[in-house]
Amino acid sequence: MSAASPTNSPLLHNRYRILSRLGEGRLATVYRAEDERLRRHVLVHLLRTELVPQENLRRRFEEEARRGAQLSHPGLLEVYDSGDVSGRPYMVTEDIAGQPLADVGLLNPGEALGVVRTVVSAVAMAQSQGVPHPPVSSRNVWLLPGGRAVLLENWTIPPSETVQDLAPYRAPERAAGGPPTPATSVYALGILAWETFVGRRPFDPQQPLGTQANQELPPISTVRPAIFSPELDRIVAQAVAPDPSLRYTTPIDFGRALDHYADASTAQTGRLATLPTGITATVPAQPTPVPAAAPAEAPQVRPKRAFRRAQQAAPAVAPPPPPPVLQAPPPSRTMSAPAPQYNQQAVDQQIKREVKRQVRRQGCQRALIKRTTQLVLVFLLLYGIYLGIGYTYDWATGRLAQINPTEWLTSRLPNPSDFVPSWLRNPGELTATYRVTRPVRLRSSPGASADTNIVKVLEAGSRVQQIGPPEADPDGQPYTWLRVIVLDDGTQGWIANLEGLLE
């Protein structure tokens, strides 16, 4: 499918009208479409044609669509629908309009911290639920006009440039051939955090893989002096440590450290205590040392007068400069669009509500399994008591002397076949073929009391095939009705299963 005009645009499953082709990502080709049922714009992600034969990628794409629909987070695309068309699986998500973080430029510290916390929280929730998530990259993080940050598969990057784009976020152990772990995700998120606060990538994507392990990542306060926060430098440095054992264990731990830092940096400090009226605190200046003179010529000066002269001659010392603050006025933006207003408090509340909903659902599932197990155990206990009473009664009356205990127990246990219908035990009965021996009426519903439900009259020798289980006669007659299809013309209906009628 390519870009189509409104008058000749393809319709997917009689619902999604394809409007335009946006681009290709690592796995899927992305289209903008219109949901004609709900009257809204959506994104259709269709697995690329050359990837359909690769079973592992196809299975990952389908798993991402199925599990992503069960996960709701402001930092991830909302999955609406999924399916298959001409052997190619597709996924329908919400439509967005924004730009990649790599193209935004320098953010003020508050916006940068909100973006990083949202992306870290999205990755942490996806990994905790076992849901695949897009790779971490500043070109895969999009900023929407309302200030929302979303982690997605960027369809504007050619698939041939994906490896080069993700190279700066690859942990040293991954570049050495190691498997992906939560620690490697923490490293990628740490690089993204450094880039979000500084406004550029720390490493050159053109350099060979693995060489960045030997490069030291400079602190954020050194590259951007307007953000002076040793605690933030420590958090990011721990996230991007070359040794995996020195990093945060999981993205959840990294996100918890960022949350504590955000709470501490936005906390209000109390007012300084003031002295009572009329009391002043003064610090006497140190007297200037006087060179020692000859003992015979030393003048006699009173100590009090010498102290006053030294105090008047002491130079004034300027107060130390105030320490730099965390949030300085943002520099001039290179973007023409206004900076988005990010409401971190609303995002945090939404994340807490989603976590509570997930916890409640898991609690209900565990409670249902527990109650079902208890009911089964109670039923087995009661049935065991019933068998014990019966055994005791038969033993007291002397019947066990004539009956084998094994046969007695077998006779008391229910027969599993009694719970299975006959047509299910013998599926061949549902597709049996018969020949009509004499003319019979084919009716649209069971029952011979009305002549209005007659479909046709079958002549002798007509061949019919049963297509359903038999049903009792609605008028209480001692025969059943069979739903059949006439093999000659495909007519369906009901005939009475009278003795000698079918063979």
Side-chain angles (χ1 to χ4, degrees), residues 197-282:
F197 281 103
V198 174
R200 63 173 178 84
R201 292 192 173 183
F203 304 116
D204 184 9
Q206 301 292 340
Q207 66 184 5
L209 293 177
T211 58
Q212 68 187 41
N214 301 323
Q215 301 182 16
E216 183 179 358
L217 190 66
I220 296 176
S221 58
T222 303
V223 183
R224 188 179 177 185
I227 304 179
F228 181 77
S229 176
E231 179 64 17
L232 180 61
D233 293 339
R234 185 197 62 80
I235 294 175
V236 176
Q238 183 175 351
V240 299
D243 188 356
S245 61
L246 301 179
R247 301 181 202 143
Y248 295 102
T249 307
T250 62
I252 296 179
D253 300 328
F254 185 31
R256 187 178 294 112
L258 290 174
D259 293 341
H260 292 168
Y261 168 74
D263 295 340
S265 61
T266 57
Q268 296 183 357
T269 58
R271 296 175 61 90
L272 295 177
T274 58
L275 295 176
T277 305
I279 300 178
T280 58
T282 59

Side-chain angles (χ1 to χ4, degrees), residues 50 64 85 258 290 306 393:
E50 64 272 18
E64 182 177 354
V85 54
L258 290 174
V290 180
Y393 175 78

Side-chain angles (χ1 to χ4, degrees), residues 443-450 453 470-482 494-497:
R443 300 179 179 271
S444 60
S445 60
S449 59
N453 62 349
E471 292 191 7
D473 184 77
D475 299 329
Q477 298 297 329
Y479 53 82
T480 58
W481 290 82
L482 301 179
W494 297 80
I495 60 175
N497 188 14

Side-chain angles (χ1 to χ4, degrees), residues 439-459:
V440 63
R441 296 175 178 178
L442 182 69
R443 300 179 179 271
S444 60
S445 60
S449 59
D451 295 335
T452 57
N453 62 349
I454 299 176
V455 178
K456 62 182 296 185
V457 178
L458 301 180
E459 301 296 335

Side-chain angles (χ1 to χ4, degrees), residues 73-403:
H73 192 280
L76 299 172
L77 286 179
E78 193 79 17
V79 179
Y80 294 150
D81 194 6
S82 64
D84 187 279
V85 54
S86 301
R88 297 175 62 185
Y90 69 88
M91 174 175 58
V92 180
T93 65
E94 61 174 315
D95 186 19
I96 62 170
Q99 55 183 338
L101 176 63
D103 301 338
V104 171
L106 202 61
L107 299 175
N108 65 58
E111 293 175 346
L113 181 60
V115 170
V116 174
R117 293 178 65 192
T118 300
V119 176
V120 173
S121 175
V123 173
M125 177 170 287
Q127 292 189 1
S128 63
Q129 299 292 332
V131 180
H133 60 81
V136 177
S137 167
S138 60
R139 300 182 71 179
N140 285 348
V141 176
W142 281 42
L143 298 185
L144 308 188
R148 176 186 170 194
V150 181
L151 180 64
L152 50 79
E153 291 275 2
N154 194 338
W155 52 79
T156 63
I157 305 177
S160 59
E161 300 180 6
T162 303
V163 177
Q164 180 180 348
D165 178 67
L166 299 179
Y169 305 91
R170 188 178 294 270
E173 64 271 20
R174 284 285 288 152
T181 61
T184 59
S185 299
V186 172
Y187 182 88
L189 292 171
I191 296 295
L192 179 68
W194 194 95
E195 179 181 356
T196 305
F197 281 103
V198 174
R200 63 173 178 84
R201 292 192 173 183
F203 304 116
D204 184 9
Q206 301 292 340
Q207 66 184 5
L209 293 177
T211 58
Q212 68 187 41
N214 301 323
Q215 301 182 16
E216 183 179 358
L217 190 66
I220 296 176
S221 58
T222 303
V223 183
R224 188 179 177 185
I227 304 179
F228 181 77
S229 176
E231 179 64 17
L232 180 61
D233 293 339
R234 185 197 62 80
I235 294 175
V236 176
Q238 183 175 351
V240 299
D243 188 356
S245 61
L246 301 179
R247 301 181 202 143
Y248 295 102
T249 307
T250 62
I252 296 179
D253 300 328
F254 185 31
R256 187 178 294 112
L258 290 174
D259 293 341
H260 292 168
Y261 168 74
D263 295 340
S265 61
T266 57
Q268 296 183 357
T269 58
R271 296 175 61 90
L272 295 177
T274 58
L275 295 176
T277 305
I279 300 178
T280 58
T282 59
V283 178
Q286 296 295 333
T288 303
V290 180
E297 299 179 0
Q300 299 296 329
V301 182
R302 295 182 179 180
K304 186 175 181 180
R305 182 175 302 175
F307 176 77
R308 290 179 179 178
R309 292 178 181 177
Q311 186 176 13
Q312 294 175 0
V317 180
V325 295
L326 175 61
Q327 295 190 3
S332 58
R333 303 290 295 272
T334 58
M335 298 172 48
S336 58
Q341 298 296 327
Y342 189 80
N343 191 350
Q344 180 64 36
Q345 184 177 5
V347 174
D348 292 343
Q349 293 178 357
Q350 184 175 356
I351 293 175
K352 291 180 180 179
R353 288 195 299 268
E354 178 61 25
V355 171
K356 290 181 180 179
R357 187 177 69 86
Q358 295 287 349
V359 172
R360 285 197 300 269
R361 185 176 65 177
Q362 295 177 1
C364 293
Q365 294 175 352
R366 290 193 295 267
L368 179 60
I369 296 175
K370 180 179 179 180
R371 295 294 183 269
T372 304
T373 305
Q374 291 176 349
L375 289 177
V376 172
L377 294 177
V378 170
F379 173 77
L380 295 177
L381 178 61
L382 294 177
Y383 196 76
I385 294 175
Y386 166 75
L387 293 178
I389 294 175
Y391 185 88
T392 304
Y393 175 78
D394 292 343
W395 177 80
T397 56
R399 293 185 58 189
L400 289 179
Q402 303 174 0
I403 303 177

